């Protein structure tokens, strides 16, 4: 049974906690032994109380001095630090927590990131709880993180600890050889031949559209994001697991003011329980990311995310058990080596493919990690596709001229009933432009993060000295903000205009600098499921 997060966090930092207290004790003894001075109890107590904060302050100050010295020795400078009126970056923390509850991406502590960019540039240090986070929305630096300096940046131990109970050690939450193994193991499943089979997407899309029509005929509004999420959940679970969760079968929710909104049958439906647990886990993880490495102090005695995983595993475990049985029947317990590639067979799901790399025994570490690895693919697929579909519909509703033009292209290319093919996807340039423009303004992962595993330099953008990035420093980056920079995309960067991917603006801005558009990341960790996102959006 895993230990509670809080005690583990404190145990790992015992030297930092004990050293200041030990210093108070030693000082007391020295004063008494050599100067015959006996400190009163109140002085000892006061010294003990302030010892840990002072020790932490001295440690941070020493780290700052060391980083400045190393930067100067490299002919570089440290990125400017955002000033906070509260100590330890508490103002930034409180602002980000409030923003998470009520705000919008890009707004922290009542200020827009754009305002900080005007003051500090597009790269600056957000220090929260004494932890440096060197944030950037600069394409060359994001390129360094994701590609040109890939080996110098990783997910890192802090990110791993935050997401382990949700994603395990799968491809989205691992580094080094473990990441290479998971990446190589899953890549064959996302080949063009597999992701362009539209049967699954079309079947669930038809179901979703039919339910939408029925609900609208009843005179009730429909939550499009919920509809997109259910469509994606059913498509993704069938595509990945060969068995869908039947969330559309649970029915669309009624608006909160309707007497039909509270339905015992709907609330107890396995798909809704699964979905609610998934959403709650994601919400908790978002709060963890704000606290950074100190998040265990907010979940001191129990891992709240692990609690939410119970109904998720209740869905995944039987499917995994079934896959193990199928594999045993066909392959007689033959297990592939972790460095052995295999071709995915027709009709084989991701779960069938991955199970061939496990020991096939229940509740062993490898079996448990496979559950989390499989779930991580489902989570990532749903997040991206739900986001794309929801915002695409939102943009089309706000821009009827774009909707009309898109509809005409679809009808002229494939008609009103024919299933699209891969060639249709390539031919419908305006549809692809609409999807790209949606992803530009509303990327599925607007903010992301890496951690430097060694000191490195980012070249100056204005002819001055380069930026020095210390080792073991978090480097969050935002494609959301980069995609909206007017100096990169033109004066209309904040406007929804799919034609920017078709007219002269494409050649002026994107073609000479492709790293200004990264809806699916880039480099060795580029998203394997990006074509799944496009296929389901096309469907």
């Amino acid at each position: 049974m895993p230990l509670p997060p809080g005690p583990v966090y404190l145990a790992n930092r015992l030297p930092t906690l004990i050293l200041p207290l030990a210093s108070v004790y030693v000082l007391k003894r020295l004063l008494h032994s050599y100067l015959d001075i006996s400190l009163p109890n109140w002085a000892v107590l006061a010294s003990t109380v302030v010892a840990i904060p002072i020790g932490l302050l001295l440690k941070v100050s020493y780290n700052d001095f060391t980083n400045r010295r190393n930067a100067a020795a490299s002919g570089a400078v440290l990125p400017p630090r955002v000033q906070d009126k509260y100590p330890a970056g508490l103002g930034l923390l409180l602002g980000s927590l409030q923003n998470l509850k009520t705000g919008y991406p890009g707004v922290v502590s009542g200020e827009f990131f754009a305002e900080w960019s005007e003051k500090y540039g597009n790269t600056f240090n957000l220090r929260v709880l004494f932890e440096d986070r060197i944030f950037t929305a600069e394409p060359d630096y994001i390129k360094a993180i994701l590609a040109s300096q890939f080996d110098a940046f990783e997910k890192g131990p802090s990110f791993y600890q935050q997401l382990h109970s949700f994603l395990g050690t799968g491809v989205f939450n691992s580094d080094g050889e473990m990441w290479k193994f998971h990446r190589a193991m899953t890549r064959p499943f996302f080949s063009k031949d597999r992701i362009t089979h539209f049967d699954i997407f079309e079947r669930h899309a038809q179901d979703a559209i039919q339910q939408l029509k029925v609900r609208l005929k009843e005179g009730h509004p429909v939550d499009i994001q919920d509809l997109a999420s259910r469509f994606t959940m059913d498509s993704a679970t069938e595509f990945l697991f060969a068995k869908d969760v039947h969330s559309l079968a649970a029915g669309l929710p009624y608006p909160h003011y309707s007497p039909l909104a509270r339905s015992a049958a709907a609330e107890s439906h396995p798909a809704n329980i699964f979905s609610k647990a998934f959403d709650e886990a994601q919400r908790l993880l978002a709060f963890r990311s704000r606290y950074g490495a100190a998040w265990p102090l907010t979940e001191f005695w129990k891992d709240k995310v692990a609690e939410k995983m119970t109904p998720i595993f209740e869905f995944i475990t039987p499917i995994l058990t079934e896959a193990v049985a199928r594999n045993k029947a066909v392959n007689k317990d033959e297990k592939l080596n972790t460095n052995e590639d295999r071709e995915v067979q027709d009709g084989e799901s991701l779960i069938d493919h991955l199970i061939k790399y496990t020991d096939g025994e229940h509740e062993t570490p490898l079996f448990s990690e496979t559950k989390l690895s499989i779930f991580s693919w489902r989570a990532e697929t749903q997040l991206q596709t739900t986001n794309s579909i929801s915002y695409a519909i939102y943009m089309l509703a706000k821009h009827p001229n774009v909707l009309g033009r898109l509809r005409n292209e679809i009808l002229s290319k494939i008609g009103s009933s024919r299933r699209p093919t891969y060639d249709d996807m390539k031919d419908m340039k305006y549809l692809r432009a609409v999807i790209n423009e949606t992803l530009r303004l509303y990327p599925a992962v607007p903010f992301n993060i890496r951690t430097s595993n060694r000191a490195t330099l980012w070249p100056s953008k204005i002819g001055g000295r380069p930026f020095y990035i210390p080792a073991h420093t978090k480097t969050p980056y935002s494609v959301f903000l980069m995609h909206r920079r007017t100096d990169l995309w033109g004066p209309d960067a904040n406007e929804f205009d799919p034609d920017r991917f078709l007219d002269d603006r494409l050649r002026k801005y994107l073609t000479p600098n492709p790293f200004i558009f990264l809806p699916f990341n880039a480099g060795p960790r580029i998203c394997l499921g990006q074509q799944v996102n496009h296929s389901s959006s096309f469907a």
Side-chain angles (χ1 to χ4, degrees), residues 442-454:
Y442 303 101
V445 185
F447 293 80
N448 212 325
I449 192 168
R450 295 289 188 272
T451 299
S452 60
N453 56 32
R454 60 176 181 263

Side-chain angles (χ1 to χ4, degrees), residues 47-240:
S47 300
T48 303
V49 170
V50 302
I52 292 178
I54 290 176
L56 180 60
L57 182 61
L58 290 173
K59 180 182 178 182
V60 171
S61 298
Y62 176 75
N63 287 340
D64 284 345
F65 168 76
T66 302
N67 289 336
R68 286 195 299 270
R69 184 183 61 188
N70 291 340
S74 302
V77 295
L78 293 169
R81 192 167 79 221
V82 174
Q83 298 302 310
D84 188 9
K85 60 183 179 181
Y86 296 105
L90 287 175
L92 296 174
L93 173 62
L94 294 174
S96 67
L97 291 173
Q98 182 62 30
N99 165 252
L100 183 59
K101 296 175 183 176
T102 62
Y104 189 73
V107 184
V108 177
S109 190
E111 298 181 59
F112 287 96
F113 269 93
E115 293 178 12
W116 289 339
S117 296
E118 288 180 10
K119 185 175 182 179
Y120 303 105
N122 291 303
T123 303
F124 43 81
N125 183 359
L126 289 166
R127 177 173 287 181
V128 178
L129 298 181
F130 298 109
E131 182 183 52
D132 287 337
R133 306 176 189 186
I134 297 179
F135 171 89
T136 187
E138 191 62 57
D140 284 351
Y141 298 160
I142 296 177
K143 179 181 179 180
I145 292 171
L146 300 179
S148 60
Q149 296 180 10
F150 176 77
D151 290 337
F153 295 92
E154 60 187 14
K155 293 286 188 175
S158 179
F159 185 91
Y160 172 83
Q161 292 298 332
Q162 281 183 26
L163 273 76
H164 180 259
S165 50
F166 188 68
L167 296 179
T169 55
V171 69
F172 301 110
N173 198 35
S174 58
D175 293 305
E177 293 304 314
M178 178 63 73
W179 168 74
K180 290 178 182 177
F181 160 62
H182 280 287
R183 180 86 175 184
M185 186 171 62
T186 51
R187 185 188 294 111
F189 188 77
F190 291 92
S191 66
K192 187 192 80 172
D193 291 339
R194 298 190 62 81
I195 60 179
T196 55
H197 291 170
F198 286 98
D199 297 14
I200 293 173
F201 304 117
E202 183 189 35
R203 185 171 1 97
H204 293 296
Q206 292 295 336
D207 187 3
I209 292 170
Q210 183 59 34
Q211 292 205 37
L212 173 65
K213 289 179 178 178
V214 170
R215 187 56 52 84
L216 292 177
K217 278 187 178 180
E218 293 175 354
H220 295 290
V222 173
D223 182 344
I224 289 296
Q225 187 170 6
D226 177 85
L227 179 66
S229 178
R230 291 173 187 274
F231 158 71
T232 305
M233 189 185 302
D234 288 355
S235 301
T237 49
E238 183 172 353
F239 179 73
L240 299 172

Side-chain angles (χ1 to χ4, degrees), residues 181 185 334-342 356-357:
F181 160 62
M185 186 171 62
E334 180 183 356
K335 177 192 169 187
L336 295 176
N337 295 322
T338 55
N339 59 353
E340 184 179 349
D341 291 333
R342 68 179 293 273
K356 298 184 185 301
Y357 291 88

Side-chain angles (χ1 to χ4, degrees), residues 310-517:
T310 300
I312 292 171
F313 285 148
E314 287 175 354
F315 171 76
I316 294 177
T317 301
I319 299 175
L320 194 56
T321 303
E322 238 178 78
V324 169
R326 287 197 301 271
N327 185 53
K328 283 184 175 181
V330 174
N331 297 294
K332 307 300 181 185
D333 292 335
E334 180 183 356
K335 177 192 169 187
L336 295 176
N337 295 322
T338 55
N339 59 353
E340 184 179 349
D341 291 333
R342 68 179 293 273
E343 186 175 331
V344 180
Q345 304 301 311
D346 286 341
E348 198 172 67
S349 68
L350 177 63
I351 202 169
D352 290 316
H353 174 61
L354 295 184
I355 204 68
K356 298 184 185 301
Y357 291 88
T358 74
D359 43 26
E361 298 298 328
H362 297 278
E363 301 314 321
T364 61
L366 189 54
F367 187 88
S368 297
E369 285 300 330
T370 301
K371 286 195 294 188
L372 284 167
S373 180
I374 291 166
F375 171 73
S376 71
W377 278 107
R378 179 261 168 203
E380 185 75 6
T381 302
Q382 181 174 355
L383 172 67
Q384 292 183 353
T385 308
T386 299
N387 176 84
S388 299
I389 294 174
S390 299
Y391 276 115
I393 293 174
Y394 175 55
M395 287 291 97
L396 292 174
K398 290 187 66 176
H399 299 85
N401 58 319
V402 175
L403 174 61
R405 184 174 164 187
L406 176 61
R407 184 173 186 274
N408 289 337
E409 181 186 66
I410 293 172
L411 290 176
S412 66
K413 293 288 184 181
I414 61 174
S416 59
S417 59
R418 181 171 68 81
R419 179 186 305 166
T421 65
Y422 181 73
D423 289 336
D424 292 327
M425 289 172 60
K426 292 193 298 182
D427 289 343
M428 289 190 283
K429 293 180 173 54
Y430 193 67
L431 173 56
R432 185 169 289 277
V434 168
I435 293 174
N436 282 340
E437 180 69 344
T438 302
L439 291 170
R440 184 185 71 85
L441 288 175
Y442 303 101
V445 185
F447 293 80
N448 212 325
I449 192 168
R450 295 289 188 272
T451 299
S452 60
N453 56 32
R454 60 176 181 263
T456 189
L457 299 178
W458 288 347
S460 172
K461 296 298 298 175
I462 53 175
R465 289 188 288 174
F467 282 137
Y468 176 79
I469 311 301
H472 314 301
T473 301
K474 289 184 177 179
T475 56
Y477 60 94
S478 174
V479 297
F480 175 89
L481 296 174
M482 181 179 69
H483 287 175
R484 292 166 177 255
R485 281 178 52 179
T486 54
D487 60 321
L488 299 177
W489 289 90
D492 60 350
N494 287 291
E495 298 176 13
F496 179 79
D497 184 3
D499 278 323
R500 78 175 69 249
F501 286 93
L502 301 171
D503 59 25
D504 289 342
R505 287 171 294 179
L506 177 71
R507 292 177 287 277
K508 181 178 180 180
Y509 297 112
L510 183 56
T511 302
N513 193 4
F515 269 82
I516 67 173
F517 182 56

Side-chain angles (χ1 to χ4, degrees), residues 6-68:
V8 172
Y9 174 83
L10 294 179
N12 289 333
R13 285 156 181 79
L14 273 180
T16 304
L17 299 174
I18 290 176
L19 185 60
L21 300 178
S23 300
V24 172
Y25 175 77
V26 170
L27 178 62
K28 176 177 178 292
R29 293 300 300 264
L30 290 175
L31 289 173
H32 180 73
S33 300
Y34 292 99
L35 300 176
D36 199 25
I37 297 175
S38 296
L39 294 176
N41 290 336
W42 67 264
V44 175
L45 179 62
S47 300
T48 303
V49 170
V50 302
I52 292 178
I54 290 176
L56 180 60
L57 182 61
L58 290 173
K59 180 182 178 182
V60 171
S61 298
Y62 176 75
N63 287 340
D64 284 345
F65 168 76
T66 302
N67 289 336
R68 286 195 299 270

